[in-house]
């Protein structure tokens, strides 16, 4: 993980990048044929921008996984069924180290007392 924090008068910004290595999992829909599901190396970037209105109030906007990176979907077999034996098509690989939901975006008001 790498990060940076920058301030200029009432503005501040935080940026982070996290590197996730390759991962894989063996799946089988019938218990005899196994298929290797792979997720490649990925960098997930987070960013937060802040503006201090007063000594007590600060506005923030930000994003975790700002580029909305999602894992690949479950491999389909020749007959069109998912390799894990499930019934969900185009389902993301659930063992992803960075989650399956993609980006999370927010706005926040901070109050310091």
């Amino acid at each position: 993980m790498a990060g940076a924090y920058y301030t200029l008068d009432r503005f501040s910004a935080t940026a982070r990048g996290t590197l996730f290595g390759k991962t894989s999992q063996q799946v089988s829909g019938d218990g005899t044929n196994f298929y290797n599901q792979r997720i490649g190396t990925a960098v997930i970037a987070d960013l937060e921008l802040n503006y201090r209105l007063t000594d007590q109030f600060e506005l923030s906007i930000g994003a975790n996984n700002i580029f909305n990176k999602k894992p690949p979907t479950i491999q389909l077999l020749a007959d069109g069924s998912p390799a894990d034996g499930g019934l969900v098509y185009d389902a993301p690989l659930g063992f992803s180290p960075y989650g399956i939901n993609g980006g999370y975006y927010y706005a926040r008001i901070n109050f310091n007392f």
Side-chain angles (χ1 to χ4, degrees):
M1 181 191 317
Y5 178 71
Y6 180 76
T7 61
L8 178 65
D9 296 326
R10 295 183 172 271
F11 293 96
S12 65
T14 303
R16 283 182 301 274
T18 305
L19 175 67
F20 292 95
K22 296 183 284 187
T23 186
S24 65
Q25 177 182 34
Q26 295 281 325
V27 297
S28 176
D30 59 11
T32 58
N33 297 312
F34 288 86
Y35 303 94
N36 195 21
Q37 304 284 284
R38 291 186 176 101
I39 299 174
T41 301
V43 174
I44 302 300
D46 305 328
L47 179 66
E48 182 173 290
L49 304 174
N50 303 294
Y51 179 72
R52 184 166 297 283
L53 295 169
T54 67
D55 287 341
Q56 288 81 29
F57 287 98
E58 183 179 55
L59 298 176
S60 301
I61 59 170
N64 295 333
N65 190 353
I66 194 167
F67 299 115
N68 198 30
K69 176 75 174 160
K70 295 180 184 178
T73 58
I74 294 172
Q75 174 184 350
L76 296 179
L77 303 177
D79 66 0
S81 64
D84 67 350
L87 299 175
V88 179
Y89 294 84
D90 292 328
L93 294 174
F95 63 92
S96 171
Y98 48 84
I100 63 171
N101 295 322
Y104 173 78
Y105 309 94
Y106 59 91
R108 181 177 66 227
I109 299 174
N110 300 319
F111 176 71
N112 299 312
F113 54 93

